[in-house]
Amino acid sequence: RTSPVTGEPLGRLYRLGQQADGTWLSAPDSLQGLAEATAELGTPSLSPDGRRLYYTYAPQRQGEHNTPQIWVATPDERGRWQPSGPLRLFADSTRLTAHPAVSPSGARLFFVSEAPDKARQDKELYYVDLYGDALGTPVPITGVSSTADELFPYATSDSTLYFASDRSGGFGGLDIYQATLHSDGRTTLLHLPSPINSEADELTFAPTPAPQALPRRGFSPPHAMMRVACRICMSSVAVR
């Protein structure tokens, strides 16, 4: 099947490992247990302990209410990923949630959802604090809000993230911005310069991992490989 948004085959999740010298450990392979014939999967984000994989699940079923939502999967004893269903972030189970991004500490999850004002159609950024299997209350990041879309967050700490937006004042299309959340409630916003941004669309920003974060030659545990793959190979499930 093909995506009604892109016209391409439905997105899948793959794993790929890279060494500190830049060479690849293997060819991409699909994640066992996450094959889905009637949904597009993308934007994976792995918890620091490698035990939870958050991703966007966008169903493509005829005649149904196909709202993208964030799903969670955990590995079984054989290393196969087992989906546990959607992450219940809001009381309204039909509300769009997408583009999860776990902070490096594992304590916070950034994501995309609809604007709190139902009269608006744009997508906004939120975060929710994670307490093991429990969730805090989703918080809209009002300091980065605009009348345009804010999409594809990537967290480098509990308070710093990068995201894409097609707001006015950019170079054109989606541009990459950096947001820093301060303890006093302020948010500092930085529009990244050229050549990172251009007149084309820039999205799914993910900085290269530090060399010490990459597995050594001959040692490539699945979760270490997945952690690297999630940082450098995020697919772009469209929610626009």
Side-chain angles (χ1 to χ4, degrees), residues 98-118:
H99 302 174
V102 185
S103 66
S105 71
R108 181 163 286 182
L109 179 73
F110 296 90
F111 65 97
V112 169
S113 188
E114 299 156 330
D117 181 356
K118 292 295 185 181

Side-chain angles (χ1 to χ4, degrees), residues 14-124:
Y14 294 85
R15 181 180 68 178
L16 186 64
Q18 187 183 31
Q19 299 183 116
D21 62 4
T23 58
W24 299 100
L25 292 171
S26 65
D29 64 284
S30 59
L31 300 187
Q32 293 186 0
L34 292 184
E36 175 59 63
T38 59
E40 188 157 28
L41 312 182
T43 60
S45 185
L46 190 70
S47 63
D49 63 4
R51 303 300 301 174
R52 287 185 179 86
L53 179 65
Y54 302 87
Y55 59 98
T56 301
Y57 179 98
Q60 309 291 328
R61 300 185 180 95
Q62 295 278 348
E64 295 187 20
H65 185 73
N66 292 320
T67 302
Q69 291 192 321
I70 295 172
W71 277 42
V72 186
T74 55
D76 62 19
E77 64 278 0
R78 296 175 298 170
R80 290 174 58 89
W81 289 95
Q82 301 298 326
S84 57
L87 193 65
R88 297 299 183 187
L89 292 163
F90 297 104
D92 181 1
S93 62
T94 66
R95 184 170 179 174
L96 179 148
T97 58
H99 302 174
V102 185
S103 66
S105 71
R108 181 163 286 182
L109 179 73
F110 296 90
F111 65 97
V112 169
S113 188
E114 299 156 330
D117 181 356
K118 292 295 185 181
R120 292 169 51 184
Q121 300 297 313
D122 55 301
K123 308 302 185 295
E124 301 288 335

Side-chain angles (χ1 to χ4, degrees), residues 45-220:
S45 185
L46 190 70
S47 63
D49 63 4
R51 303 300 301 174
R52 287 185 179 86
L53 179 65
Y54 302 87
Y55 59 98
T56 301
Y57 179 98
Q60 309 291 328
R61 300 185 180 95
Q62 295 278 348
E64 295 187 20
H65 185 73
N66 292 320
T67 302
Q69 291 192 321
I70 295 172
W71 277 42
V72 186
T74 55
D76 62 19
E77 64 278 0
R78 296 175 298 170
R80 290 174 58 89
W81 289 95
Q82 301 298 326
S84 57
L87 193 65
R88 297 299 183 187
L89 292 163
F90 297 104
D92 181 1
S93 62
T94 66
R95 184 170 179 174
L96 179 148
T97 58
H99 302 174
V102 185
S103 66
S105 71
R108 181 163 286 182
L109 179 73
F110 296 90
F111 65 97
V112 169
S113 188
E114 299 156 330
D117 181 356
K118 292 295 185 181
R120 292 169 51 184
Q121 300 297 313
D122 55 301
K123 308 302 185 295
E124 301 288 335
L125 295 179
Y126 292 74
Y127 72 81
V128 64
D129 289 330
L130 304 175
Y131 306 98
D133 293 329
L135 298 173
T137 300
V139 177
I141 308 177
T142 56
V144 304
S145 179
S146 72
T147 57
D149 288 330
E150 282 76 51
L151 305 166
F152 301 108
Y154 181 88
T156 56
S157 74
D158 290 347
S159 59
T160 301
L161 68 151
Y162 296 83
F163 65 94
S165 178
D166 56 357
R167 65 182 62 203
S168 62
F171 293 142
L174 292 168
D175 278 7
I176 302 296
Y177 293 80
Q178 181 197 65
T180 303
L181 284 58
H182 301 279
S183 58
D184 60 3
R186 293 181 302 110
T187 301
T188 302
L189 192 63
L190 174 66
H191 179 225
L192 299 190
S194 174
I196 293 176
N197 283 316
S198 70
E199 295 179 356
D201 283 334
E202 287 79 38
L203 63 158
T204 59
F205 177 91
T208 302
Q212 61 268 25
L214 295 168
R216 298 176 182 176
R217 183 180 296 274
F219 178 71
S220 54

